[in-house]
Amino acid sequence: MMVRLIIFGPPGAGKGTYSAKLEKILGITKISTGDVLREEVKRRTELGVKIEKYLEKGVLVPDDIVIEIVKREILRASPRGFILDGFPRNLYQAKALEKITTIDAIINLLIPEEILIEKLLGRRICSRCGEIYNVANIDRIIDGIRYLLPPLTPQREGVCDKCGGPLIMREDDKVEVIKRRLRVYKEYSEPIIEYYRSKGLEFIDILVNREPEVIVRRIVNALKSRGLLT
Ligand code: AMP
């Protein structure tokens, strides 16, 4: 059975973390436009040099570039399906995606904005393999809901558990850039939700108020209860 998913939510919601876990558990391919773009920058390819300034500023890379990446990656994806992380980011991309593939469901992550900055500042990634960690220790009650998000730290401080690579902060996880990314999300990305709802796409709303294992379990259960997984 094939499942084609989008994981949607603001920067810092945990899209990358959950989609990496879903990739493992479900045998589907995680397609992260952000990961692909960062890799291009790191390798200093022609494309990487061209797009670096967009990532540094926290604004969207031109649509035609990311659409091409997504087309290519979907063709390469597992026959079991894929999960799109960070795409689509605006209505134009959402409409372009309709011409590329059908989507079975949107996992819509719900998390208060107040927590995002703390989570983004606490994020660390492996500079070698991209594995995601977080030093933020969040335990807060917002609108009567407890958000208990313990740190996700490696066994040895600053060293990736998976590959031994050094952990770093993402270049765009700085307060000014984070603020711009959140504004870009609100202005360009959030309208996709209404668009997809009006099209009758399957929505899976997931509250992000616990550690990743719990969130991933919620996602898997929701997919099962909708008959999207066997
Ligand atoms: P992310 O890793 O998803 O937070 O993406 C990091 C950065 O990559 C964003 O701030 C954008 O500059 C760029 N980016 C990632 N995905 C897209 C997309 N679908 N459209 C345009 N730019 C993107």
Side-chain angles (χ1 to χ4, degrees):
M1 191 172 171
M2 187 188 209
V3 66
R4 294 155 295 191
L5 305 169
I6 292 173
I7 190 157
F8 193 84
K15 299 187 291 295
T17 301
Y18 314 137
S19 50
K21 291 188 184 294
L22 291 166
E23 173 173 60
K24 256 205 199 141
I25 298 170
L26 306 179
I28 60 178
T29 304
K30 170 188 174 187
I31 301 177
S32 159
T33 44
D35 282 354
V36 174
L37 297 170
R38 272 187 294 282
E39 188 60 27
E40 295 283 340
V41 172
K42 194 166 106 185
R43 286 172 34 219
R44 314 251 9 112
T45 62
E46 202 179 317
L47 175 63
V49 171
K50 189 170 151 193
I51 59 164
E52 186 169 22
K53 55 182 182 301
Y54 296 93
L55 273 81
E56 267 173 13
K57 286 189 197 134
V59 298
L60 296 182
V61 167
D63 292 325
D64 52 337
I65 294 175
V66 283
I67 291 166
E68 277 313 306
I69 291 173
V70 167
K71 265 191 202 161
R72 184 188 74 202
E73 297 297 319
I74 286 179
L75 285 174
R76 284 189 194 159
S78 157
R80 303 179 74 92
F82 56 80
I83 181 161
L84 290 174
D85 159 16
F87 184 94
R89 278 282 226 289
N90 59 27
L91 285 176
Y92 184 85
Q93 294 177 14
K95 287 173 188 169
L97 183 61
E98 289 170 7
K99 299 204 184 84
I100 302 172
T101 184
T102 313
I103 293 297
D104 301 308
I106 297 158
I107 300 159
N108 185 32
L109 302 175
L110 308 172
I111 180 164
E113 202 175 320
E114 311 157 62
I115 293 183
L116 293 174
I117 297 189
E118 204 175 330
K119 262 188 106 223
L120 287 162
L121 287 173
R123 172 158 63 187
R124 302 290 182 271
I125 62 165
C126 174
S127 63
R128 205 175 290 157
C129 75
E131 183 77 357
I132 305 164
Y133 299 87
N134 208 306
V135 299
N137 188 3
I138 297 168
D139 183 359
R140 278 165 62 186
I141 294 172
I142 300 167
D143 290 336
I145 296 170
R146 186 170 185 202
Y147 293 83
L148 186 54
L149 309 172
L152 309 167
T153 45
Q155 303 281 348
R156 267 183 63 204
E157 199 185 322
V159 181
C160 178
D161 287 337
K162 229 169 111 184
C163 77
L167 305 190
I168 54 164
M169 279 187 82
R170 257 172 62 168
E171 281 295 330
D172 56 353
D173 283 341
K174 297 180 195 137
V175 174
E176 327 81 68
V177 187
I178 288 172
K179 286 188 175 156
R180 186 171 306 115
R181 285 160 60 211
L182 290 171
R183 281 204 300 275
V184 167
Y185 172 77
K186 275 206 168 306
E187 184 172 350
Y188 298 101
S189 308
E190 225 170 37
I192 295 176
I193 297 177
E194 271 322 299
Y195 176 71
Y196 278 152
R197 285 206 199 270
S198 74
K199 290 232 145 194
L201 261 92
E202 181 90 60
F203 263 77
I204 300 176
D205 288 327
I206 300 283
L207 178 70
V208 177
N209 68 335
R210 287 294 184 274
E211 69 272 22
E213 288 68 28
V214 176
I215 305 306
V216 169
R217 210 178 310 133
R218 286 179 188 164
I219 295 172
V220 171
N221 288 341
L223 290 169
K224 281 188 183 153
S225 73
R226 285 165 170 84
L228 292 168
L229 292 181
T230 43

